[in-house]
């Protein structure tokens, strides 16, 4: 590695001092933050309730969709199984009545 080609970043004491002041004011601002009023707290709780309702609706819709897809896959698998079973025994499968026949 050639250390002669590394560049030096100029350091400014003034910039460091300004950055330290900005960080200090940021911490002071957070330390003196006031608690929510009862009205603000009620509004926040109301929003959380709305979010919970939407999440429950979304979960229910997803669960219904997955259940419908699963039911469809089960029916398809049952149909395929019966067709293979009937064919193994030299019979035909009637999908409407779901029986094997000669």
């Amino acid at each position: 590695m050639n250390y002669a080609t590394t560049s030096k970043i100029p350091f400014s004491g003034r910039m460091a001092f300004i950055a330290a002041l900005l960080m200090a004011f940021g911490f002071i601002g957070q330390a003196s933050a006031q608690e929510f009023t009862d009205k603000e707290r009620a509004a926040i709780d109301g929003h959380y309730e709305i979010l919970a309702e939407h999440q429950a609706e979304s979960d229910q819709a997803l669960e219904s969709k997955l259940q419908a897809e699963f039911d469809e896959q089960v029916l398809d698998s049952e149909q395929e199984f019966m067709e293979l079973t009937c064919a193994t025994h030299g019979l035909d499968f009637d999908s409407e009545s779901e029986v094997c026949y000669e």
Side-chain angles (χ1 to χ4, degrees):
M1 186 181 284
N2 188 357
Y3 291 105
T5 60
T6 57
S7 61
K8 290 187 177 185
I9 299 173
F11 178 74
S12 171
R14 248 184 278 156
M15 289 301 289
F17 179 71
I18 291 172
L21 282 177
L22 288 175
M23 287 180 59
F25 285 130
F27 288 125
I28 290 170
Q30 289 297 320
S32 66
Q34 297 177 357
E35 291 293 322
F36 294 117
T37 64
D38 290 337
K39 185 177 179 182
E40 291 169 336
R41 202 171 296 118
I44 291 170
D45 291 341
H47 286 291
Y48 280 133
E49 288 177 19
I50 292 170
L51 287 172
E53 290 172 9
H54 285 290
Q55 184 65 44
E57 290 172 4
S58 177
D59 289 348
Q60 182 63 35
L62 179 60
E63 186 177 323
S64 296
K65 178 185 172 194
L66 291 174
Q67 184 64 45
E69 289 176 1
F70 176 74
D71 292 342
E72 184 179 335
Q73 289 174 356
V74 167
L75 288 174
D76 290 344
S77 295
E78 287 176 348
Q79 177 115 3
E80 184 180 345
F81 173 76
M82 287 304 296
E83 288 173 359
L84 291 172
T85 302
C86 291
T88 301
H89 297 296
L91 303 171
D92 292 324
F93 178 69
D94 181 22
S95 61
E96 288 185 23
S97 60
E98 298 182 348
V99 294
C100 296
Y101 65 94
E102 290 186 54

